[in-house]
Each structure stands twice: as C-alpha cells, then as structure tokens.
C-alpha cells in the first residue's frame, strides 16, 4: 500500500508536469488536420517550433497555437501562418484583446484593402495605434476601416478618416513598430516578468513531454491492449469473473471487520488476497 501510494503520487505529479505537452500535442494535431499536412511535414515542425520559441517574449505556446489555428481558419497556409502569427500576438497583447478578435480584425482589413499577406505587421501596427489613440476596441477599428475601403483609398488615409471628433489623427511616423513598442512598455513591470516566467515554464514542460511522447504513447497503447484482453476474458468467462469479484469483495469486508480485532490475522488475509 505504501509503495502504491508513492507510485501514485509520482504518477500524478508527472501527469501534471507534462499536462501542457499533452494539450499542446492535441492542438498541433488539430492544426495539422486543418492544414492537411503529414505528421513528418517540416512545415508542421516549424509551426510547433514557433509556438515554443515565442515563450521567451512572454507568449505562452498555447496562445501562439491559438493564433495559428485562427489564421488557418481564415485560409492561410502554413507559410502565411508563420509570417502572420507574431503580428496577431503582438496586436493581442498591445490591445488586451483575444487572439481570435485580433485575427478577425487583421484578416478583415487585409482583405478589404486587398493587401498582400506580408503586410500583416503594418496592419497590426495601424490597428494597435488606432485602438490606443482613438479609444476604440479592436473590433470597432476593424469595422470602421472596412467601411472606408475601396475607391483607391489606402490604409493610412482610411485610418485618418476614422478618427473620432476631438482625437488627434495618426501620423505616418507613428506607425512603424507601434504594436511592439506598446507591448514592450506594457510588459516592463513585475506582471510582465511573471508572464515570461510562466510562458517559459510551459515551454519547458512541453519540451520535456516531447522527449517522452513516444514512450508514453507506447505505454498507453500497451495498457489499452491489456484492458481489451481483460474485457474479452470477462466476456468469455462471466461466471468465473463474477465468482472472483464476490471472493474479492468478501475478503475486503472481512479485512475491515478484523482490522480492530487482530493485526496478525489481517496481515495473513491480506497476503491471501494478494
């Protein structure tokens, strides 16, 4: 019993340690299915590497893969996702918006102004700066910009046109690197340091899991086969299985009754049960 307790405690601790890795692998498989990639495709490995490497900037791998998945739903391929994900994540952090909201706003503006996918960094800067300077949510900025698209109007001219009354219009020299600047300023405190700590910790746990994934899968699949075989045996031998269950139950009750009477007898019966 003592040995089992120690093993159980260790197993539960190990499971908690590797939990982010299990979740990450599941999300990566979903992204793989979405993009119709093979397991061995280097593009899939690059997506996973990107999700882990951004942890040093305070962005958890889980949040990165959320952005990648949201971009995949918008029709971007693996190369486009790798290029656009950092911009979406910067915009999310700069405006305290959800990843899905920032991806929706970015891709909507990109489509409305017919901009190439390599312009996502600039789009993120414009959206972040406009949201901050105009006091608007990221969704409102995106909607307002879409309404100004067309007739040859470029993105900068459009963002000037949506400035609310009494608000200073954006200037061209403010835009470059605006989102990253906002993220850096907002993260220059203890809370920002803690976010980087936890993001790095999650990344470490995912990497630990990646190194043991094959062995853990083999162990799980083996245990599954044991249960399949046991289930087949119980199905084929219902009477014997029932008898064994009744004997085990009777011994358990007997052990409980004797526990206050005789320690020696209890130990003997425990040995018999084993």
């Amino acid at each position: 019993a003592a040995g089992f307790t120690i093993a159980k405690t260790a197993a539960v601790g190990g499971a908690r340690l590797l939990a982010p890795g299990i979740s990450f692998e599941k999300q990566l498989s979903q992204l793989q299915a979405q993009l119709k990639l093979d397991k061995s495709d280097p593009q899939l490995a690059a997506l996973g590497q990107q999700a882990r490497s951004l942890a040093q900037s305070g962005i958890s791998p889980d949040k990165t893969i959320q952005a990648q998945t949201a971009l995949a739903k918008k029709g971007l391929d693996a190369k486009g996702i790798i290029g656009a994900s950092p911009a979406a994540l910067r915009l999310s952090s700069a405006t305290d918006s959800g990843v899905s909201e920032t991806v929706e706003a970015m891709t909507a503006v990109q489509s409305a102004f017919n901009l190439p996918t390599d312009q996502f960094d600039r789009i993120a800067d414009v959206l972040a700066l406009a949201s901050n300077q105009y006091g608007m949510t990221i969704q409102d900025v995106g909607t307002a910009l879409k309404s100004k698209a067309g007739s040859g109007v470029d993105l900068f001219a459009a963002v000037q046109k949506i400035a609310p009354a009494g608000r200073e219009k954006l200037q061209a020299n403010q835009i470059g690197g605006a989102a990253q600047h906002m993220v850096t300023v907002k993260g220059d405190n203890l809370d920002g340091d803690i976010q980087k700590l936890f993001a790095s910790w999650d990344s470490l746990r995912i990497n630990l899991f990646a190194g043991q994934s094959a062995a853990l899968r083999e162990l799980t699949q083996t245990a599954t086969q044991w249960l399949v075989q046991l289930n087949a045996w119980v199905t084929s031998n219902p009477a014997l299985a029932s008898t064994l269950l009744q004997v085990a139950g009777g011994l358990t009750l007997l052990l409980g009754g004797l526990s206050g009477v005789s320690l020696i007898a209890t130990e003997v019966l425990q040995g018999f049960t084993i």
Side-chain angles (χ1 to χ4, degrees):
F4 177 76
T5 299
I6 293 170
K8 181 181 177 183
T9 302
V12 170
R16 287 175 179 166
L17 176 68
L18 299 177
I22 297 170
S23 174
F24 181 80
E25 186 180 59
K26 179 182 177 181
Q27 292 180 83
L28 195 60
S29 293
Q30 291 171 339
L31 183 58
Q32 174 195 346
Q34 220 169 344
L35 295 173
K36 299 178 181 177
L37 299 174
D38 292 331
K39 193 82 170 177
S40 58
D41 196 311
Q43 294 182 101
L44 185 64
L47 287 164
Q49 177 58 32
Q50 182 184 57
R52 292 190 294 271
S53 65
L54 290 178
Q56 60 187 345
S57 302
I59 302 170
S60 71
D62 183 66
K63 188 173 182 179
T64 300
I65 207 165
Q66 284 179 34
Q68 293 173 340
T69 302
L71 288 163
K73 289 179 179 177
K74 291 298 180 180
L76 274 73
D77 60 13
K79 183 180 179 181
I81 291 169
I82 290 172
S85 291
L89 291 162
R90 282 196 299 273
L91 181 57
S92 174
S93 297
T95 60
D96 293 323
S97 305
V99 170
S100 296
E101 296 167 356
T102 58
V103 168
E104 180 67 37
M106 275 178 47
T107 52
V109 169
Q110 181 257 339
S111 176
F113 288 87
N114 197 28
L115 297 170
T117 55
D118 63 4
Q119 290 294 302
F120 276 123
D121 284 339
R122 181 167 178 263
I123 294 170
D125 287 337
V126 168
L127 289 172
L129 197 58
S131 175
N132 183 61
Q133 193 157 315
Y134 295 167
M136 300 166 68
T137 66
I138 197 69
Q139 299 99 316
D140 290 342
V141 174
T143 301
L145 284 173
K146 281 173 59 181
S147 70
K148 301 297 181 184
S151 303
V153 177
D154 66 12
L155 183 58
F156 177 67
V159 80
Q160 287 187 312
K161 288 182 177 181
I162 67 169
R167 297 275 184 168
E168 184 182 348
K169 293 180 180 180
L170 267 63
Q171 302 301 313
N173 61 358
Q174 295 177 293
I175 294 174
Q180 183 57 56
H181 176 72
M182 291 168 66
V183 171
T184 301
V185 171
K186 292 174 70 173
D188 188 16
N189 47 56
L190 179 58
D191 181 70
D193 292 341
I194 291 172
Q195 286 188 34
K196 290 177 183 177
L197 172 67
F198 282 122
S200 297
W201 174 231
D202 279 349
S203 182
L204 171 62
R205 293 159 75 187
I206 288 169
N207 287 329
L208 284 172
F209 170 80
Q212 303 301 320
S213 178
L216 290 168
R217 289 193 64 188
E218 183 179 354
L219 176 61
T220 305
Q221 291 165 6
T222 301
T224 301
Q225 287 303 311
W226 291 343
L227 292 176
V228 169
Q229 292 175 26
L230 178 59
N231 185 52
W233 183 85
V234 170
T235 303
S236 302
N237 303 275
L240 184 55
S242 177
T243 300
L244 289 174
L245 211 58
Q246 290 173 25
V247 171
L251 285 172
T252 300
L253 292 174
L254 186 58
L255 286 172
L258 290 174
S259 62
V261 179
S262 170
L263 179 61
I264 300 300
T266 301
E267 290 181 344
V268 170
L269 285 170
Q270 284 179 332
F272 177 69
T273 302
I274 293 168

